Amino acid sequence: MKQHPFAMIIANADNRAFASQVPLMFDEREGKILLCGHMMKKQDHQLALEKNPAVLVVFTGPHTYVSASWYSNPHQASTWNYMSVHARGHLKFLDQKGLEAVLKRLTLQYENNNPQSPTVFDNLPEDYRNKLMKSIIAFEIEVNSFDNVFKLSQNRDEKSFDTIMHKLNGQNEDARSIANEMQQRGSQLFNAEGM
């Protein structure tokens, strides 16, 4: 989640689904995990969340296509390997003081904690900050459950699994990340006792 903090927040109200993608920060207080961020004020999503604060937050990690031509038996459907985290919880909106605190932390975090950066909140012109803060609202989500959702060819035979890793290692960064994760899990899948 920390490596891929640009997440999809999904909510439902009045038999409609709403989603926004936003960068999130993480807090831990009193043994609780909190996700913090901001969104546009008075838009459909914010209005829906006022009616129903239950949310699903989807953090999507590396993902890649897997060709069935790489399987021991290629006469099957191709697929997609991926890793994601689904966090469920309840969202509450913060006041202006909370918004300012979120914006300060968020801008510092994404400017590599460089307080001299001209784009951190404290270095923006005051009139610009005031105008910006009128159009957005901060929130925090108290997470009450996590699900790790992944598909890493764990349902394939060892030969197919190894071929998939080899093919993915010759592709883009996401594919190589998936191959690396598969390699770490391979010994658990194909140990001497299990096969």
Side-chain angles (χ1 to χ4, degrees):
M1 290 167 46
K2 289 181 179 177
Q3 290 174 338
H4 302 277
F6 190 61
M8 178 83 67
I9 299 175
I10 303 165
N12 290 284
D14 301 326
N15 294 317
R16 289 182 62 205
F18 299 89
S20 296
Q21 284 186 270
V22 296
L24 295 172
M25 296 178 297
F26 304 83
D27 283 328
E28 188 171 348
R29 276 182 286 188
E30 300 169 6
K32 297 176 184 175
I33 302 293
L34 302 169
L35 306 174
C36 305
H38 65 83
M39 63 176 51
M40 294 297 294
K41 209 184 250 188
K42 301 300 177 196
Q43 300 295 318
D44 288 345
H45 199 183
Q46 190 231 332
L47 299 175
L49 286 163
E50 288 177 354
K51 292 179 182 179
N52 180 5
V55 295
L56 168 65
V57 183
V58 179
F59 294 85
T60 302
H63 55 88
T64 189
Y65 177 73
V66 175
S67 172
S69 69
W70 304 340
Y71 302 164
S72 300
N73 174 6
H75 301 290
Q76 302 178 48
S78 296
T79 192
W80 210 266
N81 277 4
Y82 60 90
M83 295 185 293
S84 64
V85 174
H86 294 184
R88 288 179 174 77
H90 286 83
L91 181 146
K92 76 172 185 178
F93 290 108
L94 305 178
D95 60 16
Q96 283 296 103
K97 185 177 177 182
L99 173 60
E100 187 171 327
V102 165
L103 292 175
K104 284 181 179 186
R105 285 184 54 215
L106 192 68
T107 56
L108 264 174
Q109 178 176 319
Y110 289 102
E111 286 295 316
N112 298 315
N113 291 311
N114 176 8
Q116 304 308 312
S117 170
T119 62
V120 297
F121 185 81
D122 287 336
N123 296 338
L124 294 172
E126 186 175 355
D127 58 336
Y128 177 81
R129 288 190 314 228
N130 291 337
K131 183 179 175 182
L132 175 70
M133 290 177 65
K134 289 177 183 172
S135 64
I136 57 178
I137 188 164
F139 60 82
E140 67 181 23
I141 298 166
E142 183 178 325
V143 178
N144 53 41
S145 71
F146 289 101
D147 292 312
N148 297 311
V149 183
F150 65 92
K151 185 168 183 314
L152 297 168
S153 299
Q154 67 267 29
N155 60 331
R156 297 287 157 209
D157 61 88
E158 189 169 5
K159 182 180 177 195
S160 297
F161 190 88
D162 289 343
T163 301
I164 292 165
M165 276 194 307
H166 175 74
K167 294 287 189 179
L168 294 179
N169 269 318
Q171 295 185 13
N172 66 25
E173 184 178 345
D174 269 7
R176 290 190 305 272
S177 293
I178 292 290
N180 183 53
E181 191 68 30
M182 288 174 65
Q183 184 174 8
Q184 292 177 34
R185 295 168 185 250
S187 62
Q188 297 168 358
L189 291 172
F190 304 109
N191 61 35
E193 294 89 33
M195 288 300 283

